[in-house]
């Protein structure tokens, strides 16, 4: 038997690091080659990392939430000489007989590397996806995790599923998971969704114990405590019982202990002669107590944080990439935004006439394909809006392709999948491709290549009720068009008698941002006029 270390592979083009969002396996689990073992978020997408071995998980070297450089060891596997991983030491010494179809799987006798308890039975498939915390809870409750129906993404088993199974109620409600992902303002504790939160709310639990008058903290004495493998390792090294470490942080309703909390508790046990007040806050803390490094379970620190109501959300992954891209664009390209409004009653009628035919072909027809075709008409006439300024070479590249990026709001931030060769595709083909890309963007299933090569971008803030905006250019492109909501607004029209009159009509507000180093304001206005002309007279789109 050998132990093989597995390094984080290159999970994307040019990706140097990734955040290990969640483990899909735990020590003692059997895995097969190509089986996903972890979810990693890069600056481009959320990807599953497959195993390169058939074997048994030996050790996890990275905590959930850690940033890991490509090439760092994240996990190790026990591999038999014949390539198969042994589940237990006993299995190596005395092979088990083949099981009949009616036999129940034998329990795995491997002791858990973290807490010394016996792990749950191997599942028949060996492919049960559950985080270490859910597997640990299953062991504590005597539940076979392989028999639990998972309600998390991809059927992943959550701690709530384990509890529900133990109580005889089946799997927990996934909270509308079948409805598809919805954008959310920031990561929060999702409870039964299976995705760990990057935000830890404090002051919401009374499990943490205050320091005693003698200076030593009271043991919490819990029956169940969740912690990462690294935290349990520190606890063993410092001779601390995790169930005694005070904490107010929770995961899926159970107490969650961090490395800092373990160290702080151990430090307090080693020097009990130094008294601490029962309640500590930033104003009354003694000079020997640092408010930032005090034990997580100190009641006063919790109260102070709770009173402030602040939460800390990691700035990394896709969100950090978006921020850097926006910063680069805004501080590199001098932005100018041109606003205008198109009266689109003819466009509304044209779409209504085409919708039944589109539905018959299984296509949901929106206004976006019409706008894309109108933009291509404008780009052909004013190619400087379909260009890239290469500062180092001191040249402007007028692009020959018409690849339009469509901004899509996701729970991780704004994704911009690219529809290539818009000039060569029909309305229904564009509608089908846009719908597919947008759906996969929200599900975080886009490939990095599908977000590259854009020559012009579109952002539809009107979908959530906006009217005008000042979009930031998707650098190094030189222009972006923002779409407002199509609504009835007052429009001046010529009446039957030749007099002008104000009438309600559906209008589409447009916000065009340009790189003023490349595009002049007059050219931007002429481009906008061409786009509006094609939107107001949809028959012109037949030429595109």
């Amino acid at each position: 038997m050998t132990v093989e270390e597995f390094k984080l592979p290159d999970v994307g083009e040019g990706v140097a690091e990734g955040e290990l969002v969640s483990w899909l396996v735990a020590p003692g689990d059997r895995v097969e080659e190509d089986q996903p073992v972890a979810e990693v978020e890069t600056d481009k997408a959320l990807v599953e990392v497959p195993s390169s071995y058939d074997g048994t998980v030996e050790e996890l070297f990275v905590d959930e939430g850690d940033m890991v450089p490509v090439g760092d060891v994240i996990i190790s596997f026990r591999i038999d000489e014949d390539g198969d991983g042994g589940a237990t030491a006993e299995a190596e010494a005395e092979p088990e007989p083949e099981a009949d179809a009616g036999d129940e799987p034998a329990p795995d006798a491997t002791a858990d590397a973290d807490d010394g308890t016996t792990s749950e039975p191997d599942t028949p498939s060996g492919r049960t996806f559950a985080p270490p915390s859910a597997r640990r809870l299953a062991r504590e409750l005597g539940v076979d995790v392989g028999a639990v129906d998972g309600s998390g993404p991809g059927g992943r088993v959550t701690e709530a599923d384990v509890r529900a199974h133990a109580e005889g109620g089946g799997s927990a409600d996934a909270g509308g998971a079948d409805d598809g992902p919805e954008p959310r303002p920031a990561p929060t504790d999702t409870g039964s969704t299976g995705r760990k939160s990057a935000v830890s709310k404090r002051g919401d639990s009374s499990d943490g114990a205050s320091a005693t008058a003698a200076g030593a903290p009271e043991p919490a004495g819990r029956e169940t405590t969740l912690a990462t493998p690294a935290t349990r390792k520190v606890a063993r090294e410092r001779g601390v019982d995790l169930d005694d470490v005070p904490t107010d942080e929770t995961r899926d309703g159970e107490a969650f202990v961090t490395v800092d909390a373990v160290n702080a508790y151990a430090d307090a046990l080693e020097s009990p002669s130094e008294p601490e007040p029962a309640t500590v806050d930033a104003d009354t803390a003694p000079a020997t107590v640092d408010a930032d490094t005090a034990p997580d379970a100190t009641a006063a620190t919790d109260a102070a944080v709770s009173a402030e109501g602040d939460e800390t959300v990691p700035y990394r992954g896709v969100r950090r990439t978006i921020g850097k891209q926006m910063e680069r664009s805004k501080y590199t390209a001098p932005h100018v935004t041109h606003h205008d409004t198109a009266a689109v009653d003819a466009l509304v009628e044209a779409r209504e006439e085409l919708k039944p035919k589109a539905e018959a072909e299984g296509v949901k027809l929106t206004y976006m394909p019409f706008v894309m075709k109108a933009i291509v008409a404008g780009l052909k006439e004013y190619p400087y809006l379909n260009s890239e300024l290469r500062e180092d070479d001191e040249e402007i590249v007028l692009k020959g392709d018409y690849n339009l990026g469509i901004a899509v709001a996701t729970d991780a931030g704004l994704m911009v999948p690219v529809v290539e060769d818009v000039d060569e595709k029909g309305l229904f083909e564009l509608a089908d491709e846009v719908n597919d890309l947008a759906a996969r963007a929200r599900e975080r299933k886009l490939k990095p290549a599908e977000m590259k090569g854009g020559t012009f971008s579109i952002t539809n803030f009107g979908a959530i009720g906006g009217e005008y905006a000042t979009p930031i250019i998707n650098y190094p492109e030189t222009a972006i068009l923002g779409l407002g909501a199509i609504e009835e607004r007052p429009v001046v029209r010529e009446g039957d008698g030749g007099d002008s009159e104000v009438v309600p009509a559906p209008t589409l507000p447009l916000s065009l941002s340009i790189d003023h180093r490349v595009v002049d304001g007059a050219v931007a206005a002429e481009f906008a006029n061409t786009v509006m002309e094609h939107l107001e007279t949809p028959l012109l789109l037949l030429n595109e």
Side-chain angles (χ1 to χ4, degrees), residues 172-512:
D173 184 5
D178 292 338
D179 297 334
E182 297 182 1
R184 52 181 183 270
T188 56
D189 192 334
T190 58
S192 63
T193 63
R195 173 74 179 268
K196 291 294 186 297
S197 169
V199 181
S200 295
K201 294 188 177 183
R202 308 181 64 180
D204 296 336
S205 171
S206 59
D207 287 343
S210 301
T212 64
E218 282 185 10
R222 292 179 299 273
E223 294 183 358
T224 302
T225 300
L226 305 182
T228 63
T231 301
R232 294 181 178 272
K233 180 179 179 181
V234 171
R236 290 196 300 270
E237 291 173 349
R238 304 206 60 176
V240 170
D241 186 344
L242 283 175
D243 292 335
D244 289 339
V245 178
T247 182
D248 63 350
E249 297 186 27
T250 60
R251 291 281 178 88
D252 289 337
E254 296 291 349
F256 180 80
V257 170
T258 64
V259 171
D260 290 341
V262 170
N263 284 328
Y265 180 72
D267 290 343
L269 290 177
E270 292 171 0
S271 56
S273 59
E274 298 180 9
E276 291 185 31
T279 56
V280 180
D281 57 40
D283 298 326
T284 63
T288 57
V289 178
D290 186 341
D292 293 330
T293 60
D296 285 348
T298 304
T301 305
D302 297 341
V305 175
S306 178
E308 293 171 3
D310 294 339
E311 296 179 357
T312 300
V313 180
Y315 180 59
R316 57 193 181 206
V318 175
R319 171 52 59 192
R320 182 176 62 181
T321 301
I322 293 171
K324 288 183 177 180
Q325 175 73 355
M326 295 297 99
E327 180 182 5
R328 181 186 182 194
S329 177
K330 193 65 177 178
Y331 291 106
T332 301
H335 283 54
V336 171
T337 304
H338 173 85
H339 299 288
D340 218 323
T341 303
V344 292
D345 36 357
L347 174 62
V348 172
E349 293 176 1
R351 174 176 172 262
E352 288 300 318
E353 291 181 8
L354 290 174
K355 278 178 66 177
K357 184 175 181 180
E359 291 174 356
E361 297 185 18
V363 175
K364 179 182 178 182
L365 183 61
T366 65
Y367 291 107
M368 184 61 72
F370 297 93
V371 174
M372 295 169 73
K373 283 293 189 180
I375 288 174
V376 168
L379 294 178
K380 287 181 177 179
E381 194 166 342
Y382 301 96
Y384 276 85
L385 282 89
N386 198 52
S387 68
E388 174 186 342
L389 173 60
R390 296 177 179 171
E391 296 96 330
D392 294 340
D393 298 330
E394 295 185 340
E395 63 184 17
I396 300 172
V397 181
L398 306 181
K399 299 298 183 70
D401 296 325
Y402 300 96
N403 303 333
L404 304 190
I406 312 296
V408 180
T410 74
D411 59 354
L414 207 62
M415 302 286 186
V416 187
V418 175
V419 180
E420 297 181 346
D421 304 320
V422 174
D423 57 320
E424 300 176 3
K425 298 174 180 177
L427 290 174
F428 290 3
E429 186 178 1
L430 289 174
D432 192 47
E433 188 169 349
V434 168
N435 292 336
D436 172 64
L437 288 171
R440 288 192 291 116
R442 295 188 183 96
E443 296 170 359
R444 309 292 303 282
K445 293 182 179 179
L446 285 177
K447 300 176 182 177
E450 293 177 311
M451 294 184 282
K452 293 183 177 181
T455 62
F456 186 99
S457 291
I458 308 170
T459 178
N460 183 19
F461 44 80
I464 54 176
E467 190 167 356
Y468 292 103
T470 55
I472 297 179
I473 298 166
N474 190 15
Y475 187 84
E477 297 170 10
T478 55
I480 182 172
L481 182 65
L483 309 177
I486 295 181
E487 296 177 351
E488 283 200 344
R489 298 179 178 89
V491 174
V492 177
R493 294 271 173 83
E494 184 176 339
D496 295 337
D499 296 331
S500 297
E501 60 180 354
V502 178
V503 296
T507 62
L508 172 59
L510 304 175
S511 299
L512 174 68

